[in-house]
Amino acid sequence: MMLRVLSLSAGILLSTLGLAAAQNATLVADTISFDGANRLVASGAVEVLYGSTRLKASRVVYDQATDKLSIEGPLTLVDGDTIVVADEAEISQDLRDGVLESARVVLAEQLQLAATEVNRVSGRYTQLYKVAVTSCHVCGADDLPLWQLRAKEIVHDQDARQLYFDSVQLRVLDIPVFYLPKLRLPDPTLDRAAGFLVPSLRTNSQLGTGLKLPYFIPIGDDKDLTLTPYFSSSTATIEFRYRQAFASGDLNVRGALTDDDLVSGQRSYLFADGSFDLGRDYTLSFDIEQTSDDTYLIDYGYNAKDRLDSAISLERVREDDAFDATLTYFKSLRSGEQTSTLPPLVGDLRYTKRLNVRGGTLDLSGDIHAHQRFSGTNAAVQSGATPFSFAPAGRDVTRLSAAALYQKGWVMGGLAIDFDARFGADIYTSGDDLGEADTLSRARPASSITMRYPLAKNTDQATHILEPVLQISWADTLGDTPRNEDSTRSEFDEGNLLSFSRFSGQDAVETGLRTTVGLNYARTGKDGWHYALSAGKSFRADTDDDFAATTGLVSRSSDWLLAAQVKFNDALTLTNRAVVQDDLTFQRNDLRLSYQTTDWRLASSYYWSQADADLPNTDFAELTLDGSYRFDRYWSAQGDLRYDFNEGTAARAGFGVSYENECIVVGAAVSRRFTSSTNLDPTTDFDLTVSLKGFSTGRSRGTMEKSHRCN
């Protein structure tokens, strides 16, 4: 009989909650009884569970005559991302209509809505009266939130996931600061909703003080548009960003239109990029970069590039072959540099096929390269005959190349041997160059053998690896010698120590017999400390005047290439690379440091290179710093610096602070660009952003944060 009463009571109660298939639900209560023929009473820690819905209350009464469910609190109803806490409630049997007194609604653990009365209407709308809204954790009745919205009435549309405010007032520390008669905001469960995003206040030494107010417009589930008006005393600008996702790729477009006091006429920029899968392993990618004038991007902080490159490419990479075709257009924003002589238009087409031959691999490749300058001026040699005195002017070039590379390796008694042999052929055609034949051809045979003898030792504290390296290589060119356009700025580093050619491009080839020696050492410590040291040097039969003096590769005996690295777990990394002459005179040095802990993040580099008489602007010394520090749970600071030792002044500096807790994010930053030119003036920027969390602007810190504040 008791089981029957419990089953019947559960069925009646669950049906009043609007839950189908009541036999799948569970009712738990200390006491279940009938008060007359039409009233069921469950009391003492009442709990109803059905799927993801859970109701807790001290007493539940169902009156069959009125078809009402009376619930005495404190009651808690959890339904997905919504939590309702109230003192008492009277609800219809299907939970679609009802009244909750002194209720508090928590949406997605982010937003709290406290109201004197809550009405449930048609199972979709929730009406709240005399409401206080905040995402700050409120621990008690006397606890004052940092910010809150007070409203006469709020309607929550559960299907549309929108909050509609009537007579809303923003209060900071309970002080009224802003009023709106009507307001609509998305609830925290909605990821994409039309409306205003976080505004920012920007003060610029050239543009004055202005406000940016982004407005987000979703256009279906696969695309959206963001419009950002930017107004100040010196500019009227509209920024835009369009994004669209396709089944086979994605598209991103961003840009701006401006009318300001800095330049006469309208200013604009457009950046767009996309990537699409065409099937059969082919991928189409494109990148468009365009601006109305040379300083627009840096004046408004959109981008610091001084050369724009727009490109379209088609590529396919498979296990045994690779194909890619790229067409690129360059535009210079540098003072004194003309786009017409860059060259602005560059095209490349490449195909490589890999075959397995006699235990090794044979790579067969072909490529076509072409670049065109819009200038009609003929190329000339300014003085002497070195590649660094060549002025390409309007020279146009097409190069057709084919190459074969065979590679095979052996291991003999711990000695690892790698053998490479290659043969290449090039045909050049050129125009607007009176000093060179219209058509040139050459062959490029080369071969090398590399031997490594790695030695390892394990101890209780660390693992040590010592690896001496010896390479003997030979290369030559047969036929004509083309102009060197793509290899005037080469460097000597670990990446090309054992390369066939240390030139950066293909126009110049490092020829002759060459021997390269190297030594690598690495220690991996169980205490977290790791060390690595490398040294390398090349010896050649003849000098090569095609290299710049500061590369360290001109004479028959190259400079020493030295590299060292120290690491401690994932916190500290110190790396130094240098090119050093035999008399210990440095040609180039690059020092990098990174340090990261829970509170600290620091990245720094110092680069120095000696001046080269053959190349302009090679005397270089620069320090960069970029770091942040978290003072506590809420406060953090960020800073960056770029200092030019040649000029004796900072090129750029910035500093910012931010405060973030579970309900608000405040950020303030100031930056200064010190560089100047004929068309660019130094500028200072100040930015301020304030974001109220809870309306899809960021997750709160959750239970841990609440526990920390309320205990």
Side-chain angles (χ1 to χ4, degrees):
M1 182 62 180
M2 181 60 69
L3 291 176
R4 178 177 177 276
V5 171
L6 180 59
S7 175
L8 178 61
S9 303
I12 296 173
L13 179 59
L14 293 172
S15 67
T16 66
L17 296 177
L19 301 174
Q23 64 271 22
N24 295 324
T26 302
L27 168 66
V28 179
D30 293 342
T31 304
I32 297 177
S33 61
F34 286 96
D35 182 6
N38 298 321
R39 285 168 56 88
L40 180 145
V41 180
S43 59
V46 181
E47 187 169 353
V48 181
L49 302 126
Y50 180 81
S52 61
T53 303
R54 171 177 293 191
L55 171 67
K56 292 182 179 180
S58 59
R59 189 168 184 265
V60 176
V61 177
Y62 172 67
D63 191 332
Q64 189 176 15
T66 60
D67 201 23
K68 294 289 185 181
L69 185 68
S70 299
I71 305 173
E72 296 181 7
L75 68 91
T76 302
L77 178 65
V78 180
D79 185 5
D81 291 328
T82 302
I83 302 174
V84 181
V85 180
D87 290 342
E88 58 182 296
E90 185 171 314
I91 311 174
S92 63
Q93 60 87 21
D94 58 1
L95 254 188
R96 294 177 61 82
D97 299 278
V99 179
L100 295 88
E101 299 292 340
S102 299
R104 182 163 60 94
V105 180
V106 180
L107 301 177
E109 298 185 3
Q110 292 188 63
L111 198 63
Q112 303 179 53
L113 299 90
T116 58
E117 181 180 307
V118 176
N119 289 347
R120 182 71 173 160
V121 180
S122 302
R124 172 176 176 175
Y125 301 101
T126 301
Q127 295 176 323
L128 302 94
Y129 299 96
K130 296 182 179 180
V131 195
V133 181
T134 185
S135 60
C136 303
H137 290 303
V138 181
C139 303
D142 298 329
D143 191 22
L144 191 64
L146 179 62
W147 69 268
Q148 60 179 308
L149 295 176
R150 291 289 185 91
K152 179 181 179 181
E153 179 183 354
I154 296 178
V155 176
H156 180 211
D157 187 335
Q158 188 170 336
D159 291 353
R161 293 186 286 183
Q162 297 286 330
L163 294 165
Y164 300 90
F165 292 74
D166 183 28
S167 300
V168 60
Q169 184 183 90
L170 172 62
R171 295 190 176 191
V172 177
L173 296 176
D174 208 31
I175 300 174
V177 297
F178 196 73
Y179 172 82
L180 284 174
K182 300 289 182 180
L183 178 66
R184 177 182 61 83
L185 293 171
D187 76 20
T189 65
L190 186 60
D191 294 327
R192 292 165 51 84
F196 290 101
L197 303 179
V198 180
S200 62
L201 183 67
R202 184 189 188 209
T203 298
N204 181 275
S205 57
Q206 290 183 303
L207 300 173
T209 300
L211 178 68
K212 288 188 176 184
L213 189 59
Y215 190 84
F216 179 75
I217 307 171
I219 312 172
D221 295 333
D222 60 338
K223 49 187 172 291
D224 57 60
L225 175 65
T226 302
L227 299 176
T228 305
Y230 171 34
F231 297 103
S232 76
S233 57
S234 298
T235 183
T237 296
I238 180 71
E239 302 171 4
F240 60 88
R241 184 196 66 185
Y242 177 80
R243 303 182 300 179
Q244 183 168 358
F246 301 87
S248 58
D250 56 80
L251 171 67
N252 295 278
V253 182
R254 60 191 185 278
L257 297 173
T258 292
D259 185 10
D260 61 24
D261 298 338
L262 304 182
V263 176
S264 60
Q266 192 176 73
R267 311 176 76 183
S268 63
Y269 91 96
L270 177 69
F271 280 18
D273 61 86
S275 179
F276 298 91
D277 183 0
L278 303 182
R280 301 174 64 88
D281 298 322
Y282 282 100
T283 301
L284 176 68
S285 303
F286 70 89
D287 176 22
I288 299 173
E289 298 179 350
Q290 188 61 39
T291 183
S292 59
D293 56 82
D294 294 349
T295 64
Y296 180 57
L297 296 178
I298 201 166
D299 283 344
Y300 284 79
Y302 294 135
N303 200 294
K305 297 181 70 171
D306 57 3
R307 281 178 180 167
L308 303 182
D309 54 278
S310 300
I312 182 170
S313 65
L314 178 67
E315 66 176 3
R316 183 182 69 179
V317 179
R318 299 188 295 190
E319 183 179 1
D320 58 354
D321 69 346
F323 166 84
D324 71 272
T326 303
L327 182 64
T328 307
Y329 174 76
F330 293 94
K331 179 181 179 180
S332 176
L333 305 181
R334 297 181 179 181
S335 176
E337 184 176 69
Q338 296 181 354
T339 297
S340 60
T341 59
L342 277 177
L345 196 60
V346 179
D348 288 283
L349 176 67
R350 305 180 186 90
Y351 178 76
T352 302
K353 177 69 175 180
R354 171 161 292 184
L355 304 172
N356 295 317
V357 178
R358 295 185 177 274
T361 60
L362 176 63
D363 292 340
L364 302 175
S365 61
D367 69 86
I368 301 174
H369 167 84
H371 60 259
Q372 183 178 13
R373 294 177 171 88
F374 299 153
S375 171
T377 305
N378 284 290
V381 176
Q382 294 172 331
S383 62
T386 67
F388 315 109
S389 60
F390 171 63
R395 184 173 186 258
D396 303 323
V397 176
T398 299
R399 184 188 69 236
L400 175 64
S401 302
L405 169 63
Y406 180 76
Q407 297 174 300
K408 188 174 182 178
W410 302 269
V411 177
M412 302 172 58
L415 179 66
I417 303 174
D418 294 309
F419 172 74
D420 296 346
R422 67 175 61 195
F423 182 85
D426 306 311
I427 298 176
Y428 282 79
T429 62
S430 61
D432 289 331
D433 188 352
L434 298 179
E436 185 178 74
D438 292 342
T439 303
L440 301 175
S441 61
R442 70 177 179 184
R444 298 178 281 107
S447 182
S448 73
I449 184 167
T450 305
M451 293 170 283
R452 308 171 187 267
Y453 195 79
L455 303 170
K457 179 181 178 180
N458 292 313
T459 67
D460 294 337
Q461 290 77 32
T463 298
H464 304 265
I465 298 177
L466 182 67
E467 183 187 60
V469 180
L470 172 65
Q471 183 191 73
I472 300 174
S473 61
W474 169 85
D476 200 3
T477 58
L478 306 174
D480 301 317
T481 302
R483 301 279 200 193
N484 178 12
E485 285 196 63
D486 62 6
S487 301
T488 59
R489 298 294 181 101
S490 298
E491 290 191 354
F492 185 34
D493 55 37
E494 303 103 304
N496 61 21
L497 175 64
L498 301 176
S499 297
F500 275 102
S501 176
R502 267 74 71 97
F503 286 106
S504 56
Q506 194 167 323
D507 288 347
V509 178
E510 189 175 1
T511 60
L513 182 64
R514 184 174 78 238
T515 300
T516 302
V517 295
L519 184 66
N520 300 315
Y521 168 75
R523 175 192 182 273
T524 303
K526 297 179 181 179
D527 56 357
W529 286 98
H530 311 296
Y531 310 109
L533 298 171
S534 297
K537 189 178 181 68
S538 286
F539 304 88
R540 63 162 56 90
D542 301 299
T543 60
D544 194 332
D545 294 332
D546 286 340
F547 284 108
T550 52
T551 59
L553 293 168
V554 176
S555 63
R556 294 177 59 186
S557 174
S558 77
D559 293 343
W560 283 97
L561 177 65
L562 303 176
Q565 185 178 76
V566 178
K567 297 183 67 175
F568 178 69
N569 293 331
D570 295 326
L572 174 68
T573 302
L574 177 65
T575 304
N576 193 83
R577 298 179 175 90
V579 176
V580 184
Q581 295 178 341
D582 291 337
D583 61 359
L584 301 183
T585 300
F586 280 74
Q587 292 276 57
R588 188 178 74 249
N589 192 74
D590 185 4
L591 175 65
R592 299 177 185 271
L593 170 68
S594 65
Y595 178 71
Q596 184 167 349
T597 64
T598 304
D599 298 325
W600 278 98
R601 182 188 63 82
L602 174 66
S604 177
S605 66
Y606 173 76
Y607 182 84
W608 173 87
S609 66
Q610 193 177 76
D612 194 321
D614 293 327
L615 297 173
N617 305 319
T618 53
D619 184 10
F620 192 80
E622 184 178 79
L623 172 69
T624 62
L625 291 170
D626 182 14
S628 65
Y629 176 67
R630 178 170 290 278
F631 297 97
D632 55 28
R633 184 182 299 267
Y634 309 109
W635 286 97
S636 62
Q638 311 83 34
D640 65 271
L641 170 70
R642 186 160 64 91
Y643 188 87
D644 188 337
F645 286 93
N646 290 341
E647 297 293 334
T649 184
R652 183 177 178 85
F655 178 77
V657 294
S658 60
Y659 175 87
E660 178 179 4
N661 63 12
E662 76 283 353
C663 62
I664 194 170
V665 179
V666 180
V670 60
S671 62
R672 171 73 173 174
R673 178 176 51 78
F674 298 88
T675 54
S676 62
S677 64
T678 56
N679 58 356
L680 199 62
D681 296 322
T683 57
T684 301
D685 284 287
F686 176 79
D687 292 279
L688 175 66
T689 59
V690 179
S691 170
L692 303 182
K693 288 189 173 182
F695 303 101
S696 300
T697 58
R699 301 291 299 181
S700 69
R701 294 182 183 269
T703 305
M704 180 180 68
E705 179 82 14
K706 180 178 180 180
S707 175
H708 171 81
R709 290 195 59 201
C710 296
N711 289 339

